[in-house]
Amino acid sequence: MLSAGPELLAIPGPSVMPSRVMREFSRPMVDIYAGELVEITDEIERILPAVAGSSGHLFIAIGNGHAAWEMALTNTLSKDDRVLVVNCGVFAAVWGEMAAFMGVEVDRIDAEPGRASDPAEVGRVLAADREHTIKAVLTVQGDTASSARNDIPAIRRAIDEVNHPALLMVDTIASLGCEPFEMDAWGVDLVVAASQKGMMTPPGLGFNIVGERALAASARADLRTYYWDWTSRRDRSVYYKRFCGTPPVSHLFALREALRMIDEEGLAARYARHRVLAGAVHAAVEAWAASTDLRLNIADPAERCQSVTTITTGSVDAEAIRRICCERLGAVLGIGFADSSFRIGHMGHVNAPSVLAAVGAVETALHELGECIDQSGVAAATHHLAGVSAR
Ligand SMILES: *Cc1c(COP(=O)(O)O)cnc(C)c1O
């Protein structure tokens, strides 16, 4: 009854797409050998790495984040190589499963539940690898399942302190465009990203942003396949080779428009917006925590993602919250990976009303479930957005 009207999508990807971006999908096809499309692709290859603070080379996979993972692994590794997976939730572990499937030996360190990864532990594992058999460290900036954010510069320092030559490869699929990332300054060798979260472009494009050391590794990597091989995709003489076949014409139009929007807003303003919106959601959960079992999954504010919030619900039925929000109110929240939890996505094309609507829907559901709310999460969120304390 209350759910007619525009649905609120508050899942952590795909995120809400700007109509400016969606309009690009209605444009007719163009020549794929010369002209506008080639210029647009050149522009994307110039601009997108800068969003990750990189002067590296961009390779675009026609596929999702998993495709970009596979492109990264096949181009840098050989069968029987070892990698160290630094996991703080779900996604780095799955990237590691993909490597294992290819015949790579995978060591993994898991963060404590509710925490980001411990860089000191990375240092300890690498220090013990005196023969330097570990070829790469695979990790995520933000884990979309747990909402933990890793300290990438600290992980780089841990690698450098033990003089280990492993490549540092970082999945920024859920964080690129939402929080600061400085690939060159932080010494990251390869960044994996995708279109459908902070980059505000529908699912279908994956990205590898590649530095010199990772490019050099690709000369020796025997897991390379004809389709994913960076070498032929780098051949500037034939545009068709950049995608190993027909380019994703409409997605390229759309991505170029999204990059324009990112440029118009400015990265610093974008990061500040995500920080304040995330803070509003966090403030709401902390208010609910005063009288209910709801808690932020990540206790330490410094270890929280700015693009997604995982909320554990204890004795409160997380699925009932999601069901009421979706079916009765028209707000779609993200499923939880762990038992009794759910997630609110706040990435990309989101603003104050978006997070207030999500928080308001959850609070309404809590009332319906008979929870006693001593401190309103909606009030806490509005105070946070107004820049004043609720107390
Ligand atoms: C969404 C996500 C993925 C998976 O991306 P797909 O496009 O679904 O393959 C991987 N890593 C992180 C951190 C993500 O948020």
Side-chain angles (χ1 to χ4, degrees), residues 64-66 69 91 140 142 144 171 173-174 196-197:
N64 53 20
H66 282 67
W69 275 348
F91 287 95
V140 298
T144 328
D171 170 341
I173 293 172
Q196 75 270 20
K197 299 186 186 177

Side-chain angles (χ1 to χ4, degrees), residues 281-296 311-318 321 340 342 359 362-378:
V281 176
H282 299 160
V285 181
E286 277 161 358
W288 295 325
S291 60
T292 76
D293 270 358
L294 269 62
R295 298 286 182 278
L296 290 163
I311 299 158
T312 61
T313 59
S315 64
V316 186
D317 183 350
I321 294 174
S340 76
F342 68 96
V359 164
V362 172
E363 191 159 305
T364 306
L366 290 172
H367 288 313
E368 268 201 24
L369 290 169
E371 287 294 311
C372 143
I373 308 287
D374 285 350
Q375 285 183 35
S376 164
V378 174

Side-chain angles (χ1 to χ4, degrees), residues 53-305:
S54 172
S55 54
H57 193 92
L58 174 70
F59 296 97
I60 302 176
I62 304 173
N64 53 20
H66 282 67
W69 275 348
E70 184 154 318
M71 185 192 242
L73 296 176
T74 56
N75 276 287
T76 53
L77 297 172
S78 297
K79 198 166 176 321
D80 300 326
D81 274 354
R82 261 174 92 196
V83 297
L84 175 62
V85 168
V86 180
N87 180 50
C88 62
V90 167
F91 287 95
V94 180
W95 195 10
E97 276 172 27
M98 180 185 271
F101 192 97
M102 295 172 177
V104 170
E105 211 182 302
V106 177
D107 294 10
R108 193 173 94 201
I109 46 185
D110 290 312
E112 283 170 45
R115 296 295 310 271
S117 299
D118 178 3
E121 223 180 316
V122 178
R124 277 195 290 279
V125 173
L126 293 181
D129 176 37
R130 289 183 213 289
E131 264 79 66
H132 294 167
T133 57
I134 294 174
K135 298 302 175 199
V137 173
L138 311 185
T139 192
V140 298
Q141 183 182 29
D143 188 283
T144 328
S146 67
S147 302
R149 178 183 59 193
N150 281 329
D151 185 344
I152 301 300
I155 291 175
R156 174 82 256 173
R157 281 195 297 278
I159 299 172
D160 291 346
E161 273 162 18
V162 295
N163 287 314
H164 200 288
L167 296 172
L168 176 58
M169 313 216 277
V170 182
D171 170 341
T172 67
I173 293 172
S175 52
L176 189 67
C178 304
E179 46 194 309
F181 194 89
E182 295 291 343
M183 177 171 169
D184 292 353
W186 295 353
V188 175
D189 297 297
L190 189 153
V191 161
V192 171
S195 56
Q196 75 270 20
K197 299 186 186 177
M199 300 305 285
M200 307 187 297
T201 304
L205 298 180
F207 309 117
N208 282 181
I209 308 171
V210 182
E212 287 307 320
R213 292 180 70 230
L215 265 187
S218 71
R220 300 180 299 275
D222 75 10
L223 286 175
R224 282 181 303 154
T225 62
Y226 185 93
Y227 184 67
W228 292 126
D229 185 20
W230 290 336
T231 321
S232 60
R233 288 170 181 256
R234 272 182 90 198
D235 178 354
R236 307 317 278 175
S237 65
V238 191
Y239 175 77
Y240 191 73
K241 286 189 180 178
R242 283 196 226 177
F243 299 93
C244 197
T246 304
V249 178
S250 305
H251 269 84
L252 293 172
F253 289 156
L255 176 60
R256 197 263 311 258
E257 191 63 22
L259 287 168
R260 282 189 175 158
M261 292 182 69
I262 290 172
D263 182 58
E264 285 162 21
E265 182 178 9
L267 284 176
R270 235 181 129 71
Y271 300 149
R273 170 167 60 84
H274 281 88
R275 191 183 63 244
V276 174
L277 296 178
V281 176
H282 299 160
V285 181
E286 277 161 358
W288 295 325
S291 60
T292 76
D293 270 358
L294 269 62
R295 298 286 182 278
L296 290 163
N297 188 44
I298 306 298
D300 181 348
E303 296 183 351
R304 289 179 198 150
C305 289

